[in-house]
Amino acid sequence: MSGTPDAPLRVLFCIGVNQNFFDLPTGQHKTVWDGTVTMLEQLHALPGVEVLGTMDDDQHMVGPSDSWPWTCYVLADVVDQRTVADACNLFRAVQVGEYGLWRYMKIEARIGRPLPDVTR
């Protein structure tokens, strides 16, 4: 089953916290959190992105996440692959001190389409 040509892409942004975050001295982690909030605000404001939901599992997962299971997820409808790349690029663009957010976190995007709505 294929989507309509103008249907948005369903994207799961998978976000992992890496070892550099955990290597920060006590008290400096808030700057990364502030950068994460900035990234999420810019993601929500990115033209062609409709955030459908988020999930953060930092209470049950402690330590770096280099792959599944990820630390947090953002599910969104995105207009095209260029915009998916722009969303991922926010990890390069958002600054945390003298570094980009990517120094402390990584992102991968899984692109697909919605399943049929069987609740109707």
Side-chain angles (χ1 to χ4, degrees):
M1 170 182 247
S2 63
T4 59
D6 58 348
L9 304 169
R10 180 66 46 96
V11 181
L12 182 63
F13 294 101
C14 307
I15 301 168
V17 177
N18 67 39
Q19 188 61 47
N20 288 334
F21 174 81
F22 294 98
D23 290 341
L24 286 170
T26 301
Q28 291 187 14
H29 298 93
K30 185 179 180 319
T31 60
V32 178
W33 174 247
D34 293 343
T36 302
V37 170
T38 297
M39 178 276 300
L40 289 169
E41 290 169 345
Q42 291 181 18
L43 179 63
H44 275 270
L46 199 60
V49 174
E50 179 188 357
V51 174
L52 303 174
T54 61
M55 187 181 94
D56 186 2
D57 195 19
D58 69 333
Q59 292 183 341
H60 301 104
M61 177 180 189
V62 178
S65 55
D66 295 324
S67 65
W68 189 91
W70 298 96
T71 306
C72 56
Y73 302 86
V74 176
L75 181 64
D77 281 342
V78 182
V79 68
D80 56 26
Q81 290 190 28
R82 177 70 249 161
T83 305
V84 173
D86 290 345
C88 291
N89 195 54
L90 292 173
F91 280 70
R92 293 182 186 97
V94 171
Q95 288 295 116
V96 175
E98 62 186 270
Y99 301 105
L101 183 59
W102 63 267
R103 179 176 178 89
Y104 305 103
M105 305 176 87
K106 67 181 283 180
I107 187 169
E108 289 186 14
R110 305 292 304 164
I111 301 174
R113 60 182 179 269
L115 290 169
D117 183 357
V118 297
T119 61
R120 293 183 200 180

